């Protein structure tokens, strides 16, 4: 169901974030993120002159190469367009992500490494949906392959990382009870 009707308004700004996951021939995974910001009106920029409606103020890319364990193996950051001529100069700093695991604490660690003047606000913000995209890309494929090779019936020995990350995965809820009963903390008799 879409949102309800809004009050009368004028469209001013659009931010688009596109994240895509790929399986590579070498056994690794690529997750690519692309962020654009556009205005619906022309405005003056000291670096680029007049930025016309629909022309991106920000046009930025990230590629993360990841292994099966969600550890970042390589990073590429590119700023095609930014509001200042030095925006793209920070791209090499994103190499600090190599070796970082996309596990709990990932966002906190990214902000420690690349927050504030150590990085680019927009590229750092792009990493959050990219981490989700990495999980959505890798986990289902590996789970399916595990099931196809006969490992599908085995129960996890460790607490699944999804538990308590959102309403649906509450450890005392029906989804956890169904899929990970060994880790369910709710009332066993309740349905």
């Amino acid at each position: 169901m879409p949102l309800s009707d809004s009050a009368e308004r004028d469209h001013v700004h659009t931010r688009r974030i596109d994240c895509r996951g790929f399986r590579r021939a070498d056994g690794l995974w690529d997750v690519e993120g692309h962020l654009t910001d556009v205005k619906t009106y022309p405005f003056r920029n000291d670096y680029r002159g007049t930025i016309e409606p629909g022309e991106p103020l920000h046009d930025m890319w990230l590629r993360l190469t990841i292994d099966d364990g969600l550890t970042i193996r390589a990073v590429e950051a590119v700023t095609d367009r930014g509001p200042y001529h030095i925006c793209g100069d920070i791209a090499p700093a994103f190499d600090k992500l190599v070796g970082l695991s996309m596990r709990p604490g990932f966002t906190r660690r990214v902000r420690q490494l690349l927050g504030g003047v150590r990085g680019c606000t927009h590229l750092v913000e792009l990493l959050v949906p990219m981490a989700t995209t990495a999980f959505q890309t890798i986990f289902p494929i590996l789970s399916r392959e595990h099931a196809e090779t006969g490992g599908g019936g085995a129960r996890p020995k460790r607490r699944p990382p999804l538990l308590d990350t959102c309403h649906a995965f509450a450890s005392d809820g029906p989804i956890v009870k169904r899929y990970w009963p060994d880790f369910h903390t709710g009332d066993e008799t309740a349905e």
Side-chain angles (χ1 to χ4, degrees):
M1 171 165 52
L3 296 171
S4 63
D5 291 338
S6 68
E8 188 175 333
R9 60 192 184 174
D10 291 322
H11 182 204
V12 175
H13 179 84
T14 299
R15 170 168 283 185
R16 285 198 173 93
I17 294 176
D18 181 44
C19 298
R20 298 175 186 220
F22 302 89
R23 188 174 210 175
R24 294 168 34 140
D26 63 4
L28 296 174
W29 308 84
D30 280 341
V31 175
E32 294 180 355
H34 182 214
L35 177 147
T36 58
D37 282 319
V38 298
K39 305 289 186 194
T40 60
Y41 56 88
F43 64 97
R44 176 94 181 112
N45 175 273
D46 289 338
Y47 166 54
R48 293 174 37 198
T50 300
I51 297 178
E52 298 294 338
E55 179 184 347
L57 173 63
H58 296 106
D59 189 357
M60 302 172 167
W61 301 81
L62 271 175
R63 178 185 297 135
L64 305 176
T65 300
I66 305 162
D67 64 22
D68 287 353
L70 298 176
T71 298
I72 299 171
R73 298 289 197 88
V75 178
E76 183 178 355
V78 174
T79 297
D80 283 332
R81 292 184 183 155
Y84 306 103
H85 71 280
I86 63 171
C87 287
D89 295 350
I90 198 66
F94 283 78
D95 288 344
K96 294 176 187 171
L97 297 172
V98 173
L100 199 60
S101 179
M102 295 176 140
R103 301 286 180 182
F106 174 71
T107 302
R108 177 183 46 79
R109 186 69 180 126
V110 165
R111 294 202 188 284
Q112 288 172 343
L113 293 170
L114 296 167
V117 299
R118 294 179 303 279
C120 164
T121 300
H122 301 86
L123 290 174
V124 167
E125 289 173 356
L126 185 56
L127 285 163
V128 173
M130 288 180 70
T132 303
T133 302
F135 188 85
Q136 291 289 334
T137 299
I138 298 168
F139 181 73
I141 299 293
L142 295 182
S143 293
R144 184 183 70 213
E145 289 174 354
H146 182 69
E148 289 172 355
T149 60
R155 296 256 170 109
K157 294 177 183 20
R158 291 184 302 150
R159 186 177 193 271
L162 283 175
L163 270 57
D164 294 320
T165 61
C166 73
H167 169 74
F169 294 129
S171 61
D172 62 351
I175 304 300
V176 171
K177 183 176 180 179
R178 177 175 178 184
Y179 293 105
W180 302 289
D182 292 346
F183 299 95
H184 183 255
T185 61
D187 181 1
E188 292 303 317
T189 60
E191 219 23 69

